[in-house]
Amino acid sequence: MPGSPVVVRAERLNTGYVLREKGKPDPTPARAEMRTASRFYQFKSGHALTGVYLNSTDNRPDDDCWWCNPENNSGTHQTRDHLFNYCYKWKDQQAAMWARVKEATKKEKQKWRVGDLLADERCSPAVLDCLGSTHVGRTAPPVEENWDSEGEAEEAGAEEAADEVEEQAE
Ligand SMILES: [Zn+2]
């Protein structure tokens, strides 16, 4: 039909979603760097390399977040929700993402569920930049054969300490 509108106006939808004509892919990840885009799609499908997913596929002994301090946060499940909302390691990147999401959608962080965030194209640019500037959903730290290895934990701790020194030097 010539002249028929293709894009549904966002402000007229109570749900807050922008609907796209069937079959048209979200243009933002399609234009993004491939490695970042593939992480984005993995998060959307629930197959991102999170603690919970790796634990469910028997690739990790537990689903704890490997960035959160094990002494203060032991048993912090590394879910998508944790990584986009709560993970201490990425709080600056989360704040930047949520500020953009709010600007684009007029909807507060507290009102979002992660599944909806990842499904809403208006949020894609902010989510992709967040993924690009963090290690969220990239490869997990190695797990040794015997999953209780203390050497592993010590090494990870030393790395964290080095990061902190660098941050303070800036
Ligand atoms: Zn964490």
Side-chain angles (χ1 to χ4, degrees):
M1 279 291 204
S4 61
V6 174
V7 179
V8 177
R9 283 187 208 90
E11 63 266 26
R12 299 184 62 185
L13 294 172
N14 285 332
T15 57
Y17 290 104
V18 174
L19 300 181
R20 185 163 289 275
E21 202 179 17
K22 212 177 174 185
K24 288 206 176 179
D26 183 346
T28 311
R31 279 197 301 262
E33 197 210 351
M34 201 198 289
R35 279 180 307 175
T36 306
S38 77
R39 279 157 67 215
F40 179 81
Y41 294 124
Q42 284 176 329
F43 270 106
K44 270 169 90 90
S45 67
H47 291 171
L49 302 180
T50 62
V52 167
Y53 178 71
L54 291 168
N55 180 236
S56 77
T57 53
D58 285 335
N59 286 296
R60 288 192 82 76
D62 54 52
D63 60 11
D64 291 356
C65 180
W66 49 84
W67 288 299
C68 287
N69 185 335
E71 280 170 26
N72 298 330
N73 298 292
S74 64
T76 300
H77 307 304
Q78 198 195 70
T79 58
R80 298 190 301 186
D81 188 43
H82 173 75
L83 292 169
F84 286 112
N85 285 297
Y86 305 108
C87 189
Y88 175 79
K89 174 80 174 171
W90 310 114
K91 57 180 174 21
D92 294 345
Q93 291 86 345
Q94 290 157 9
M97 180 190 80
W98 286 113
R100 285 175 66 187
V101 166
K102 188 185 168 190
E103 201 180 304
T105 66
K106 311 296 173 212
K107 193 169 148 187
E108 301 276 349
K109 170 183 177 177
Q110 290 75 15
K111 298 193 173 162
W112 286 97
R113 290 184 318 159
V114 173
D116 295 335
L117 172 78
L118 294 165
D120 193 319
E121 289 181 17
R122 295 171 300 171
C123 306
S124 302
V127 173
L128 278 155
D129 282 351
C130 183
L131 290 176
S133 62
T134 64
H135 295 291
V136 167
R138 290 189 212 252
T139 50
V143 181
E144 291 195 359
E145 286 286 318
N146 65 340
W147 278 346
D148 294 324
S149 166
E150 289 188 10
E152 198 68 32
E154 273 167 31
E155 261 177 49
E159 247 180 52
E160 286 290 306
D163 278 356
E164 296 240 337
V165 171
E166 269 176 40
E167 272 167 30
Q168 280 164 15
E170 275 169 21

